[in-house]
């Protein structure tokens, strides 16, 4: 029987709470990213800077967020492959509006969000389920 640090057994309620916590952690594990090696990170940072410039130019002067197709073209024009652009879903972290995007450098993911007046770009490994973004809900 599991016990607390003091050696006392867990109550049924504590055991259920711990099981629930572990299940929640497992449910979120599909979004986990590994650690990029230094060489992949260096190349991904250069790609991310290019994506940031491209998307900032696209969004400059507009009162509304750019559309899916224009974001897709802007990201793909930087040389990334497997480009995905979509609205955020319930499983996504981050802003609930605008668009999410991701692309593959060949060794790393470049991903982020585009909203009216805001562009965010990050780098990382593929998530545990194999993509650069979680599957849409």
């Amino acid at each position: 029987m599991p016990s607390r640090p003091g050696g006392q057994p867990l109550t049924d309620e504590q055991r259920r709470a711990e099981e629930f916590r572990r299940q929640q952690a497992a449910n979120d594990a599909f979004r986990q990213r590994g650690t990029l090696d230094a060489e992949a990170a260096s190349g991904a940072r250069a790609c991310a800077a290019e994506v940031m410039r491209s998307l900032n130019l696209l969004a400059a002067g507009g009162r509304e967020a750019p559309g899916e197709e224009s974001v897709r073209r802007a990201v793909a024009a930087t040389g990334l492959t497997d480009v995905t652009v979509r609205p955020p879903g319930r499983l996504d972290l981050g802003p609930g509006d605008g668009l999410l995007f991701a692309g593959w450098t060949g060794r790393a993911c470049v991903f982020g969000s585009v909203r009216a007046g805001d562009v965010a770009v990050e780098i990382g490994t593929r998530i545990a389920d194999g993509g650069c973004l979680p599957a849409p809900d």
Side-chain angles (χ1 to χ4, degrees):
M1 174 177 273
S3 63
R4 290 184 263 184
Q8 297 177 346
L10 295 174
T11 65
D12 286 344
E13 184 177 326
Q14 289 169 324
R15 197 171 18 264
R16 283 191 298 274
E18 177 61 18
E19 184 176 322
F20 178 77
R21 185 195 64 74
R22 288 180 186 185
Q23 288 172 346
Q24 288 301 102
N27 286 345
D28 290 339
F30 72 95
R31 286 189 273 238
Q32 300 296 318
R33 294 184 189 274
T35 303
L36 282 175
D37 64 62
E39 190 176 326
S42 176
R45 278 192 290 277
C47 289
E50 186 61 31
V51 169
M52 179 67 91
R53 276 190 293 278
S54 182
L55 292 176
N56 277 329
L57 286 172
L58 181 65
R63 291 191 179 136
E64 295 181 14
E68 280 186 55
E69 191 52 39
S70 60
V71 170
R72 184 180 330 281
R73 283 192 306 269
V75 173
T78 67
L80 294 175
T81 61
D82 298 329
V83 174
T84 301
V85 179
R86 63 173 174 75
R90 67 179 179 82
L91 299 177
D92 293 307
L93 302 174
D97 61 343
L99 295 170
L100 300 179
F101 67 86
W104 180 244
T105 69
R107 298 187 64 195
C109 294
V110 176
F111 57 96
S113 61
V114 180
R115 304 178 335 178
D118 183 43
V119 175
V121 181
E122 298 180 56
I123 62 170
T125 63
R126 292 186 188 267
I127 59 176
D129 76 356
C132 286
L133 288 178
D137 51 300

